[in-house]
Amino acid sequence: DQPTGSITLTWDQPLGIGSAKLWDRVDGTDHITSGRMVFDDGSTVDFGELPQDGNPLVLNFTPRTVRWIRFEILTVSDGTLHPGFAEICLFQ
């Protein structure tokens, strides 16, 4: 009975990525406590709580080439009504 959600990023051409930075919304109410990245090949990378102080959570993982990636919000803090990311950056 907690809100969750996801966002899928897609590209026309394959993109090589090996790390990501995820920023939580800094609104004092909504807070992501765990999630998962799902790649088009079916592999996943789980992540934990996103910092609430405006800094990103940095994720380094085995590099892969993908056409899409989905960021799933699995759990949120009590009182979260509108879970979401403030920003997502991907790096090679």
Side-chain angles (χ1 to χ4, degrees):
D1 54 7
Q2 291 183 333
T4 59
S6 68
I7 185 170
T8 303
L9 305 177
T10 61
W11 298 272
D12 292 335
Q13 300 295 320
L15 177 69
I17 57 172
S19 66
K21 290 184 180 181
L22 308 177
W23 283 264
D24 204 355
R25 296 177 65 193
V26 187
D27 62 6
T29 304
D30 303 316
H31 180 56
I32 298 170
T33 56
S34 73
R36 174 180 302 133
M37 298 183 338
V38 180
F39 301 93
D40 64 356
D41 66 359
S43 63
T44 62
V45 172
D46 291 336
F47 59 88
E49 185 173 10
L50 274 61
Q52 291 183 281
D53 61 2
N55 287 307
L57 176 67
V58 178
L59 301 169
N60 295 303
F61 45 87
T62 303
R64 50 188 48 96
T65 301
V66 298
R67 286 188 177 263
W68 63 262
I69 181 173
R70 183 174 59 245
F71 294 85
E72 300 176 343
I73 299 170
L74 300 178
T75 60
V76 297
S77 63
D78 290 340
T80 295
L81 299 175
H82 308 287
F85 299 95
E87 188 171 345
I88 298 171
C89 291
L90 302 172
F91 303 90
Q92 289 185 333

